Each structure stands twice: as C-alpha cells, then as structure tokens.
C-alpha cells in the first residue's frame, strides 16, 4: 500500500486526456501542446506520450518531484488552458 505522503517525493504519474471541444480550429493549440511536452521531455520530465488509436484521447507519463510540480505541468498545458482537452485521470506510480 502506498501512503498519500509518498507523493510528496519524486514519482511518476500517467495522465489521461480527452478532447472536450468541438472546435475545428485547434491545430495551433495542439502544436503548442506538442512543443510544451517536447520541452518537458528534453528536461527529463516526460517519459513517454502518445495517442490512443481511433480515439480523441491521449496519455503522458511524467516524472515529478512532488504533486505541486504535477499541478504546474497540468495547468500550463496549452490544451488545458484553452479547454481543448481535459484531464480525465491521473494515476501515480
């Protein structure tokens, strides 16, 4: 069993996102988002990311020092800021 206090330490989290907007003109937002996560990946914060086949969903596995850093990563996601995607699940491990 993992105690809640364990998430104050470095850990990984798998984030699941789903499309919430029917906007057809969100290409720039998604381009900005890809750049955002590529920057995080080059800084060692993103382990892997991808899309689910034939679905408007994707996932990102991040490495964070604590849950405050996790919240910052999510809140600065361009697609979250512009309400194009929403976080539907976060699974720490």
């Amino acid at each position: 069993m993992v105690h809640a206090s364990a998430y104050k330490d470095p850990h990984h989290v798998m984030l699941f996102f789903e499309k919430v907007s029917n906007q057809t003109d969100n290409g720039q937002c998604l381009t900005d988002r890809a750049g955002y996560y590529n920057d995080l990946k080059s800084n060692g914060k993103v382990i892997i990311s991808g899309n689910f086949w034939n679905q408007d969903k994707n996932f990102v596995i991040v490495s964070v020092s604590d849950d405050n850093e996790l919240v910052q990563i999510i809140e600065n996601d361009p697609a979250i800021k512009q309400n194009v995607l929403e976080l539907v699940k976060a699974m720490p491990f």
Side-chain angles (χ1 to χ4, degrees):
M1 180 155 122
V2 177
H3 297 283
S5 62
Y7 299 122
K8 294 178 183 175
D9 298 325
H11 59 284
H12 294 89
V13 181
M14 187 167 194
L15 304 171
F16 296 90
F17 298 91
E18 189 171 280
K19 186 177 179 183
V20 294
S21 174
N22 291 327
Q23 299 172 3
T24 56
D25 188 22
N26 56 18
Q28 184 60 50
C29 174
L30 297 178
T31 299
D32 293 345
R33 183 177 196 263
Y36 173 70
Y37 283 107
N38 281 335
D39 288 346
L40 289 173
K41 186 173 188 174
S42 57
N43 290 326
K45 293 296 174 184
V46 170
I47 308 303
I48 190 169
S49 62
N51 294 313
F52 293 103
W53 190 25
N54 292 334
Q55 297 181 31
D56 288 331
K57 299 179 182 179
N58 70 35
F59 67 93
V60 179
I61 298 177
V62 294
S63 175
V64 295
S65 58
D66 57 32
D67 281 348
N68 290 327
E69 183 179 27
L70 175 63
V71 169
Q72 289 177 337
I73 288 172
I74 295 166
E75 288 178 349
N76 288 311
D77 180 324
I80 295 293
K81 285 181 171 182
Q82 295 183 32
N83 200 33
V84 172
L85 296 176
E86 69 178 336
L87 178 68
V88 292
K89 191 165 194 170
M91 296 176 49
F93 61 97

